[in-house]
Amino acid sequence: MNVFHVVGARPNFMKVAPVLEALKARKHVIQTLIHTGQHYDPNMSGVFFQQLGIPAPDVNLEVGSGTHATQTADIMTRLEPVVAENKPDIVLVYGDVNSTVATALVCAKLGLRVGHVEAGLRSFDRTMPEEINRLVTDQLADLLFTPSEDGDENLRREGVSPEKIHRVGNVMIDSLVRLLPLAKKCSTAGFPERYALVTLHRPSNVDDSASLKGILESLLEVNKRIAVVFPVHPRTRQRIAEIGVPLSDLHLSEPLPYVEFLALQSRAAAVLTDSGGIQEETTYLGVPCLTLRSNTERPVTVTIGTNILVGQDRQKLTAELKKILDGGAKRGHVPPLWDGRAGDRIAEVVCRG
Ligand code: UD1
């Protein structure tokens, strides 16, 4: 059986690793890994391959950055001959990035089976590019692997036939479970003893100067109560440089490798983020998370986990942070099937055919 995996952006890498590993154990499976090159900086890509034990890609399409249309179209054009020539039995796509939707479109039109890992998530906010990617990918996929019950419900409501839907749990948590022991041993010397960890990269927060300025001013306020540690995404770095708010009081760094970031997350007093995956990782770790968005495609992190949506409401951020720092943080549980075995469940369904 020939299985292709197509990945491209940082959050794809922690999702593909457990599936590659689980399928490796099945002797009749031949795997091919394609990197679209959507993310290409060593600290956004190479270091994740190395730490997660992902083999070097068999093919790198080297598409690089661009507008949504350019990037999606480049991936499609470069991927089509590769899959058309090899005719894999199934192509697995991950998450909700441009590489995901571009691959699903190419493969569905070639009549190839598509499996979507992390299907069914919905923010119900079509201003998010990822929401468009999720909706389209899920309509095209033949196998839909969901992390939680809300994913199944969303898909059924959109008319996806129930036999295509497989609730396998959260595959990103598989990588976390595997590497947490290493992260526990990882030194965070050089970072403050007690800190709030911040990540920021959503276009809705960083591409608009007024929003970004407001958020950065909030972070400077937060930093008066607790040190702010802020590894800066390349998109955000460019925008910060453009608006020129002085941030020398914060602990800024380049994007961090997986294990170092996991170590910082697990020891943080609070995490402030607009990432999707980090809402889930903090829920698993039991670390309080304040999400700088007004909606989430991962509602179980709010209903079961430690996540609170604060949007761009500065007063709410300050009030919720105060509660956390005063010892009154919201407590959560780990959602069902976030147990480190999602990759095995996916492999089983893929091999069943
Ligand atoms: C992409 C995903 C987003 C995901 C995020 C994780 C889409 C639509 N968005 O957003 O869902 O949460 O990845 O990081 O697929 N850049 C670099 N080096 C790189 C990659 C990008 O400097 O290795 C810069 C480029 O200037 C680029 C910008 O970052 O234009 C944005 O990159 P892009 O891949 O378009 O989107 P992300 O914001 O990373």
Side-chain angles (χ1 to χ4, degrees), residues 9-11 38-41 44 65-66 68 71 96-98 129-130 133 201-202 233-235 238:
R10 183 170 63 175
Q38 176 174 348
H39 284 173
Y40 43 85
D41 283 348
M44 296 293 285
S65 302
H68 285 275
Q71 191 174 57
D96 56 16
V97 301
N98 287 345
E130 293 82 1
N133 295 346
H201 76 283
R202 286 281 150 226
H233 187 281
R235 173 189 283 277
Q238 288 166 12

PDB file of all heavy atoms in Angstrom, residues 9-11 38-41 44 65-66 68 71 96-98 129-130 133 201-202 233-235 238, ligand 1:
ATOM      1  N   ALA A   9       3.626  23.462   6.731  1.00  0.00           N
ATOM      2  CA  ALA A   9       3.806  24.543   7.702  1.00  0.00           C
ATOM      3  C   ALA A   9       4.046  23.971   9.099  1.00  0.00           C
ATOM      4  O   ALA A   9       3.662  22.833   9.386  1.00  0.00           O
ATOM      5  CB  ALA A   9       2.580  25.453   7.693  1.00  0.00           C
ATOM      6  N   ARG A  10       4.641  24.778   9.944  1.00  0.00           N
ATOM      7  CA  ARG A  10       5.073  24.321  11.279  1.00  0.00           C
ATOM      8  C   ARG A  10       4.044  23.447  12.002  1.00  0.00           C
ATOM      9  O   ARG A  10       4.409  22.371  12.488  1.00  0.00           O
ATOM     10  CB  ARG A  10       5.475  25.549  12.112  1.00  0.00           C
ATOM     11  CG  ARG A  10       6.006  25.223  13.485  1.00  0.00           C
ATOM     12  CD  ARG A  10       6.599  26.437  14.171  1.00  0.00           C
ATOM     13  NE  ARG A  10       5.643  27.495  14.418  1.00  0.00           N
ATOM     14  CZ  ARG A  10       5.902  28.612  15.076  1.00  0.00           C
ATOM     15  NH1 ARG A  10       7.119  28.826  15.561  1.00  0.00           N
ATOM     16  NH2 ARG A  10       4.989  29.534  15.263  1.00  0.00           N
ATOM     17  N   PRO A  11       2.759  23.877  12.090  1.00  0.00           N
ATOM     18  CA  PRO A  11       1.837  23.037  12.884  1.00  0.00           C
ATOM     19  C   PRO A  11       1.524  21.681  12.249  1.00  0.00           C
ATOM     20  O   PRO A  11       0.909  20.833  12.897  1.00  0.00           O
ATOM     21  CB  PRO A  11       0.570  23.898  12.982  1.00  0.00           C
ATOM     22  CG  PRO A  11       0.663  24.882  11.880  1.00  0.00           C
ATOM     23  CD  PRO A  11       2.125  25.104  11.612  1.00  0.00           C
ATOM     24  N   GLN A  38       6.047  25.502   2.256  1.00  0.00           N
ATOM     25  CA  GLN A  38       5.326  26.701   2.722  1.00  0.00           C
ATOM     26  C   GLN A  38       6.124  27.389   3.828  1.00  0.00           C
ATOM     27  O   GLN A  38       6.269  28.612   3.837  1.00  0.00           O
ATOM     28  CB  GLN A  38       3.918  26.321   3.207  1.00  0.00           C
ATOM     29  CG  GLN A  38       3.158  27.503   3.789  1.00  0.00           C
ATOM     30  CD  GLN A  38       1.703  27.198   4.148  1.00  0.00           C
ATOM     31  OE1 GLN A  38       1.158  26.167   3.785  1.00  0.00           O
ATOM     32  NE2 GLN A  38       1.075  28.121   4.861  1.00  0.00           N
ATOM     33  N   HIS A  39       6.606  26.611   4.794  1.00  0.00           N
ATOM     34  CA  HIS A  39       7.561  27.133   5.775  1.00  0.00           C
ATOM     35  C   HIS A  39       8.924  26.569   5.431  1.00  0.00           C
ATOM     36  O   HIS A  39       9.053  25.396   5.110  1.00  0.00           O
ATOM     37  CB  HIS A  39       7.148  26.749   7.198  1.00  0.00           C
ATOM     38  CG  HIS A  39       6.005  27.588   7.719  1.00  0.00           C
ATOM     39  ND1 HIS A  39       5.374  27.349   8.912  1.00  0.00           N
ATOM     40  CD2 HIS A  39       5.375  28.672   7.179  1.00  0.00           C
ATOM     41  CE1 HIS A  39       4.415  28.256   9.099  1.00  0.00           C
ATOM     42  NE2 HIS A  39       4.390  29.062   8.063  1.00  0.00           N
ATOM     43  N   TYR A  40       9.932  27.417   5.476  1.00  0.00           N
ATOM     44  CA  TYR A  40      11.252  27.045   4.946  1.00  0.00           C
ATOM     45  C   TYR A  40      12.398  27.474   5.849  1.00  0.00           C
ATOM     46  O   TYR A  40      13.485  26.931   5.773  1.00  0.00           O
ATOM     47  CB  TYR A  40      11.435  27.695   3.555  1.00  0.00           C
ATOM     48  CG  TYR A  40      10.956  29.135   3.541  1.00  0.00           C
ATOM     49  CD1 TYR A  40      11.775  30.165   3.946  1.00  0.00           C
ATOM     50  CD2 TYR A  40       9.628  29.437   3.207  1.00  0.00           C
ATOM     51  CE1 TYR A  40      11.310  31.478   4.001  1.00  0.00           C
ATOM     52  CE2 TYR A  40       9.160  30.744   3.253  1.00  0.00           C
ATOM     53  CZ  TYR A  40      10.001  31.755   3.645  1.00  0.00           C
ATOM     54  OH  TYR A  40       9.533  33.028   3.713  1.00  0.00           O
ATOM     55  N   ASP A  41      12.190  28.469   6.748  1.00  0.00           N
ATOM     56  CA  ASP A  41      13.283  28.850   7.647  1.00  0.00           C
ATOM     57  C   ASP A  41      13.632  27.641   8.515  1.00  0.00           C
ATOM     58  O   ASP A  41      12.726  26.921   8.949  1.00  0.00           O
ATOM     59  CB  ASP A  41      12.846  30.000   8.575  1.00  0.00           C
ATOM     60  CG  ASP A  41      12.837  31.353   7.876  1.00  0.00           C
ATOM     61  OD1 ASP A  41      13.378  31.447   6.757  1.00  0.00           O
ATOM     62  OD2 ASP A  41      12.275  32.304   8.449  1.00  0.00           O
ATOM     63  N   MET A  44      11.568  27.243  11.522  1.00  0.00           N
ATOM     64  CA  MET A  44      10.126  27.000  11.327  1.00  0.00           C
ATOM     65  C   MET A  44       9.895  25.596  10.761  1.00  0.00           C
ATOM     66  O   MET A  44       8.758  25.156  10.633  1.00  0.00           O
ATOM     67  CB  MET A  44       9.536  28.014  10.339  1.00  0.00           C
ATOM     68  CG  MET A  44       9.568  29.454  10.809  1.00  0.00           C
ATOM     69  SD  MET A  44       8.490  29.754  12.208  1.00  0.00           S
ATOM     70  CE  MET A  44       6.883  29.737  11.404  1.00  0.00           C
ATOM     71  N   SER A  65       6.899  31.647   0.334  1.00  0.00           N
ATOM     72  CA  SER A  65       5.789  32.514   0.738  1.00  0.00           C
ATOM     73  C   SER A  65       5.131  33.176  -0.460  1.00  0.00           C
ATOM     74  O   SER A  65       5.702  33.213  -1.549  1.00  0.00           O
ATOM     75  CB  SER A  65       6.309  33.598   1.684  1.00  0.00           C
ATOM     76  OG  SER A  65       6.924  33.013   2.802  1.00  0.00           O
ATOM     77  N   GLY A  66       3.933  33.725  -0.222  1.00  0.00           N
ATOM     78  CA  GLY A  66       3.225  34.438  -1.285  1.00  0.00           C
ATOM     79  C   GLY A  66       1.821  34.777  -0.811  1.00  0.00           C
ATOM     80  O   GLY A  66       1.455  34.449   0.321  1.00  0.00           O
ATOM     81  N   HIS A  68      -2.250  34.227  -0.702  1.00  0.00           N
ATOM     82  CA  HIS A  68      -2.951  32.939  -0.590  1.00  0.00           C
ATOM     83  C   HIS A  68      -3.091  32.275  -1.943  1.00  0.00           C
ATOM     84  O   HIS A  68      -2.833  31.080  -2.098  1.00  0.00           O
ATOM     85  CB  HIS A  68      -4.326  33.135   0.056  1.00  0.00           C
ATOM     86  CG  HIS A  68      -4.213  33.360   1.526  1.00  0.00           C
ATOM     87  ND1 HIS A  68      -4.134  32.332   2.433  1.00  0.00           N
ATOM     88  CD2 HIS A  68      -4.113  34.499   2.240  1.00  0.00           C
ATOM     89  CE1 HIS A  68      -3.998  32.823   3.653  1.00  0.00           C
ATOM     90  NE2 HIS A  68      -3.980  34.141   3.549  1.00  0.00           N
ATOM     91  N   GLN A  71       0.404  31.128  -3.337  1.00  0.00           N
ATOM     92  CA  GLN A  71       0.965  29.989  -2.602  1.00  0.00           C
ATOM     93  C   GLN A  71       0.165  28.710  -2.886  1.00  0.00           C
ATOM     94  O   GLN A  71       0.731  27.655  -3.174  1.00  0.00           O
ATOM     95  CB  GLN A  71       0.946  30.312  -1.106  1.00  0.00           C
ATOM     96  CG  GLN A  71       1.736  29.346  -0.259  1.00  0.00           C
ATOM     97  CD  GLN A  71       1.795  29.823   1.179  1.00  0.00           C
ATOM     98  OE1 GLN A  71       0.765  30.024   1.806  1.00  0.00           O
ATOM     99  NE2 GLN A  71       2.997  30.017   1.702  1.00  0.00           N
ATOM    100  N   ASP A  96      -4.988  22.737   8.761  1.00  0.00           N
ATOM    101  CA  ASP A  96      -5.836  23.699   8.040  1.00  0.00           C
ATOM    102  C   ASP A  96      -5.039  24.768   7.311  1.00  0.00           C
ATOM    103  O   ASP A  96      -5.509  25.884   7.120  1.00  0.00           O
ATOM    104  CB  ASP A  96      -6.795  24.355   9.044  1.00  0.00           C
ATOM    105  CG  ASP A  96      -6.064  25.002  10.204  1.00  0.00           C
ATOM    106  OD1 ASP A  96      -4.834  25.214  10.103  1.00  0.00           O
ATOM    107  OD2 ASP A  96      -6.702  25.290  11.230  1.00  0.00           O
ATOM    108  N   VAL A  97      -3.825  24.437   6.908  1.00  0.00           N
ATOM    109  CA  VAL A  97      -3.000  25.467   6.262  1.00  0.00           C
ATOM    110  C   VAL A  97      -3.191  25.410   4.739  1.00  0.00           C
ATOM    111  O   VAL A  97      -3.871  24.532   4.219  1.00  0.00           O
ATOM    112  CB  VAL A  97      -1.509  25.319   6.672  1.00  0.00           C
ATOM    113  CG1 VAL A  97      -1.356  25.422   8.181  1.00  0.00           C
ATOM    114  CG2 VAL A  97      -0.921  24.011   6.168  1.00  0.00           C
ATOM    115  N   ASN A  98      -2.568  26.346   4.037  1.00  0.00           N
ATOM    116  CA  ASN A  98      -2.746  26.374   2.576  1.00  0.00           C
ATOM    117  C   ASN A  98      -2.254  25.084   1.922  1.00  0.00           C
ATOM    118  O   ASN A  98      -2.824  24.635   0.923  1.00  0.00           O
ATOM    119  CB  ASN A  98      -2.033  27.596   1.989  1.00  0.00           C
ATOM    120  CG  ASN A  98      -2.780  28.885   2.299  1.00  0.00           C
ATOM    121  OD1 ASN A  98      -3.947  28.862   2.694  1.00  0.00           O
ATOM    122  ND2 ASN A  98      -2.113  30.019   2.122  1.00  0.00           N
ATOM    123  N   PRO A 129      -8.498  32.571   7.142  1.00  0.00           N
ATOM    124  CA  PRO A 129      -8.163  31.730   5.981  1.00  0.00           C
ATOM    125  C   PRO A 129      -8.235  30.247   6.307  1.00  0.00           C
ATOM    126  O   PRO A 129      -8.627  29.433   5.473  1.00  0.00           O
ATOM    127  CB  PRO A 129      -6.727  32.152   5.627  1.00  0.00           C
ATOM    128  CG  PRO A 129      -6.241  33.018   6.730  1.00  0.00           C
ATOM    129  CD  PRO A 129      -7.425  33.516   7.487  1.00  0.00           C
ATOM    130  N   GLU A 130      -7.898  29.903   7.550  1.00  0.00           N
ATOM    131  CA  GLU A 130      -7.894  28.484   7.932  1.00  0.00           C
ATOM    132  C   GLU A 130      -9.297  27.891   7.902  1.00  0.00           C
ATOM    133  O   GLU A 130      -9.468  26.701   7.643  1.00  0.00           O
ATOM    134  CB  GLU A 130      -7.316  28.309   9.343  1.00  0.00           C
ATOM    135  CG  GLU A 130      -5.842  28.640   9.479  1.00  0.00           C
ATOM    136  CD  GLU A 130      -5.560  30.114   9.631  1.00  0.00           C
ATOM    137  OE1 GLU A 130      -6.525  30.922   9.662  1.00  0.00           O
ATOM    138  OE2 GLU A 130      -4.370  30.479   9.702  1.00  0.00           O
ATOM    139  N   ASN A 133      -9.999  26.865   4.463  1.00  0.00           N
ATOM    140  CA  ASN A 133      -9.216  25.654   4.186  1.00  0.00           C
ATOM    141  C   ASN A 133      -9.870  24.413   4.797  1.00  0.00           C
ATOM    142  O   ASN A 133      -9.920  23.351   4.186  1.00  0.00           O
ATOM    143  CB  ASN A 133      -7.784  25.806   4.721  1.00  0.00           C
ATOM    144  CG  ASN A 133      -7.010  26.907   4.001  1.00  0.00           C
ATOM    145  OD1 ASN A 133      -7.435  27.386   2.949  1.00  0.00           O
ATOM    146  ND2 ASN A 133      -5.883  27.313   4.562  1.00  0.00           N
ATOM    147  N   HIS A 201       0.377  35.323  15.946  1.00  0.00           N
ATOM    148  CA  HIS A 201       0.658  35.344  14.504  1.00  0.00           C
ATOM    149  C   HIS A 201      -0.578  35.414  13.626  1.00  0.00           C
ATOM    150  O   HIS A 201      -0.466  35.463  12.405  1.00  0.00           O
ATOM    151  CB  HIS A 201       1.482  34.123  14.095  1.00  0.00           C
ATOM    152  CG  HIS A 201       0.681  32.854  14.030  1.00  0.00           C
ATOM    153  ND1 HIS A 201       0.319  32.157  15.151  1.00  0.00           N
ATOM    154  CD2 HIS A 201       0.145  32.188  12.986  1.00  0.00           C
ATOM    155  CE1 HIS A 201      -0.395  31.104  14.802  1.00  0.00           C
ATOM    156  NE2 HIS A 201      -0.524  31.095  13.498  1.00  0.00           N
ATOM    157  N   ARG A 202      -1.799  35.410  14.224  1.00  0.00           N
ATOM    158  CA  ARG A 202      -3.004  35.451  13.386  1.00  0.00           C
ATOM    159  C   ARG A 202      -3.042  36.733  12.577  1.00  0.00           C
ATOM    160  O   ARG A 202      -2.877  37.826  13.159  1.00  0.00           O
ATOM    161  CB  ARG A 202      -4.268  35.467  14.257  1.00  0.00           C
ATOM    162  CG  ARG A 202      -4.624  34.208  14.903  1.00  0.00           C
ATOM    163  CD  ARG A 202      -5.316  33.215  14.012  1.00  0.00           C
ATOM    164  NE  ARG A 202      -4.945  31.925  14.523  1.00  0.00           N
ATOM    165  CZ  ARG A 202      -4.545  30.882  13.818  1.00  0.00           C
ATOM    166  NH1 ARG A 202      -4.492  30.946  12.516  1.00  0.00           N
ATOM    167  NH2 ARG A 202      -4.194  29.770  14.400  1.00  0.00           N
ATOM    168  N   HIS A 233       6.961  35.030  15.815  1.00  0.00           N
ATOM    169  CA  HIS A 233       6.734  34.425  14.499  1.00  0.00           C
ATOM    170  C   HIS A 233       7.231  35.389  13.407  1.00  0.00           C
ATOM    171  O   HIS A 233       7.107  36.604  13.568  1.00  0.00           O
ATOM    172  CB  HIS A 233       5.224  34.182  14.367  1.00  0.00           C
ATOM    173  CG  HIS A 233       4.807  33.422  13.144  1.00  0.00           C
ATOM    174  ND1 HIS A 233       4.707  34.004  11.915  1.00  0.00           N
ATOM    175  CD2 HIS A 233       4.453  32.125  12.977  1.00  0.00           C
ATOM    176  CE1 HIS A 233       4.310  33.086  11.029  1.00  0.00           C
ATOM    177  NE2 HIS A 233       4.146  31.931  11.663  1.00  0.00           N
ATOM    178  N   PRO A 234       7.756  34.860  12.290  1.00  0.00           N
ATOM    179  CA  PRO A 234       8.284  35.768  11.246  1.00  0.00           C
ATOM    180  C   PRO A 234       7.264  36.785  10.742  1.00  0.00           C
ATOM    181  O   PRO A 234       7.614  37.948  10.499  1.00  0.00           O
ATOM    182  CB  PRO A 234       8.720  34.832  10.118  1.00  0.00           C
ATOM    183  CG  PRO A 234       8.509  33.442  10.565  1.00  0.00           C
ATOM    184  CD  PRO A 234       8.015  33.440  11.970  1.00  0.00           C
ATOM    185  N   ARG A 235       6.006  36.358  10.572  1.00  0.00           N
ATOM    186  CA  ARG A 235       4.964  37.302  10.124  1.00  0.00           C
ATOM    187  C   ARG A 235       4.871  38.473  11.102  1.00  0.00           C
ATOM    188  O   ARG A 235       4.817  39.643  10.712  1.00  0.00           O
ATOM    189  CB  ARG A 235       3.608  36.567  10.070  1.00  0.00           C
ATOM    190  CG  ARG A 235       2.425  37.480   9.782  1.00  0.00           C
ATOM    191  CD  ARG A 235       1.112  36.731   9.974  1.00  0.00           C
ATOM    192  NE  ARG A 235       0.789  35.831   8.885  1.00  0.00           N
ATOM    193  CZ  ARG A 235       0.204  36.203   7.735  1.00  0.00           C
ATOM    194  NH1 ARG A 235      -0.100  37.458   7.515  1.00  0.00           N
ATOM    195  NH2 ARG A 235      -0.073  35.310   6.809  1.00  0.00           N
ATOM    196  N   GLN A 238       7.895  40.993  11.200  1.00  0.00           N
ATOM    197  CA  GLN A 238       7.838  42.013  10.144  1.00  0.00           C
ATOM    198  C   GLN A 238       6.898  43.154  10.528  1.00  0.00           C
ATOM    199  O   GLN A 238       7.192  44.322  10.342  1.00  0.00           O
ATOM    200  CB  GLN A 238       7.332  41.392   8.839  1.00  0.00           C
ATOM    201  CG  GLN A 238       8.327  40.472   8.171  1.00  0.00           C
ATOM    202  CD  GLN A 238       7.672  39.627   7.075  1.00  0.00           C
ATOM    203  OE1 GLN A 238       6.536  39.878   6.673  1.00  0.00           O
ATOM    204  NE2 GLN A 238       8.382  38.622   6.601  1.00  0.00           N
TER     205      GLN A 238
HETATM  206  C1  UD1 B   1       0.620  29.626   8.437  1.00  0.00           C
HETATM  207  C2  UD1 B   1      -0.806  29.062   8.393  1.00  0.00           C
HETATM  208  C3  UD1 B   1      -1.451  29.192   9.754  1.00  0.00           C
HETATM  209  C4  UD1 B   1      -0.578  28.559  10.825  1.00  0.00           C
HETATM  210  C5  UD1 B   1       0.811  29.176  10.770  1.00  0.00           C
HETATM  211  C6  UD1 B   1       1.748  28.562  11.766  1.00  0.00           C
HETATM  212  C7  UD1 B   1      -2.045  29.333   6.264  1.00  0.00           C
HETATM  213  C8  UD1 B   1      -3.108  30.089   5.606  1.00  0.00           C
HETATM  214  N1  UD1 B   1      -1.643  29.829   7.462  1.00  0.00           N
HETATM  215  O1  UD1 B   1       0.538  31.014   8.733  1.00  0.00           O
HETATM  216  O2  UD1 B   1      -2.697  28.542   9.746  1.00  0.00           O
HETATM  217  O3  UD1 B   1      -1.164  28.791  12.085  1.00  0.00           O
HETATM  218  O4  UD1 B   1       1.342  28.950   9.452  1.00  0.00           O
HETATM  219  O5  UD1 B   1       2.988  29.187  11.756  1.00  0.00           O
HETATM  220  O6  UD1 B   1      -1.583  28.336   5.760  1.00  0.00           O
HETATM  221  N2  UD1 B   1       7.847  33.378   6.738  1.00  0.00           N
HETATM  222  C9  UD1 B   1       9.185  33.317   7.002  1.00  0.00           C
HETATM  223  N3  UD1 B   1       9.767  32.083   7.094  1.00  0.00           N
HETATM  224  C10 UD1 B   1       9.071  30.936   6.941  1.00  0.00           C
HETATM  225  C11 UD1 B   1       7.701  31.014   6.676  1.00  0.00           C
HETATM  226  C12 UD1 B   1       7.100  32.252   6.582  1.00  0.00           C
HETATM  227  O7  UD1 B   1       9.859  34.329   7.144  1.00  0.00           O
HETATM  228  O8  UD1 B   1       9.661  29.834   7.049  1.00  0.00           O
HETATM  229  C13 UD1 B   1       7.206  34.725   6.652  1.00  0.00           C
HETATM  230  C14 UD1 B   1       6.982  35.171   5.237  1.00  0.00           C
HETATM  231  O9  UD1 B   1       7.221  36.528   5.148  1.00  0.00           O
HETATM  232  C15 UD1 B   1       5.511  34.928   5.010  1.00  0.00           C
HETATM  233  C16 UD1 B   1       4.936  35.091   6.402  1.00  0.00           C
HETATM  234  O10 UD1 B   1       5.941  34.635   7.297  1.00  0.00           O
HETATM  235  O11 UD1 B   1       4.963  35.801   4.074  1.00  0.00           O
HETATM  236  C17 UD1 B   1       3.681  34.300   6.623  1.00  0.00           C
HETATM  237  O12 UD1 B   1       3.885  32.913   6.251  1.00  0.00           O
HETATM  238  P1  UD1 B   1       2.650  32.040   5.705  1.00  0.00           P
HETATM  239  O13 UD1 B   1       3.089  30.632   5.495  1.00  0.00           O
HETATM  240  O14 UD1 B   1       2.021  32.740   4.557  1.00  0.00           O
HETATM  241  O15 UD1 B   1       1.599  32.110   6.856  1.00  0.00           O
HETATM  242  P2  UD1 B   1       1.753  31.982   8.446  1.00  0.00           P
HETATM  243  O16 UD1 B   1       1.425  33.288   9.061  1.00  0.00           O
HETATM  244  O17 UD1 B   1       3.055  31.331   8.818  1.00  0.00           O
END
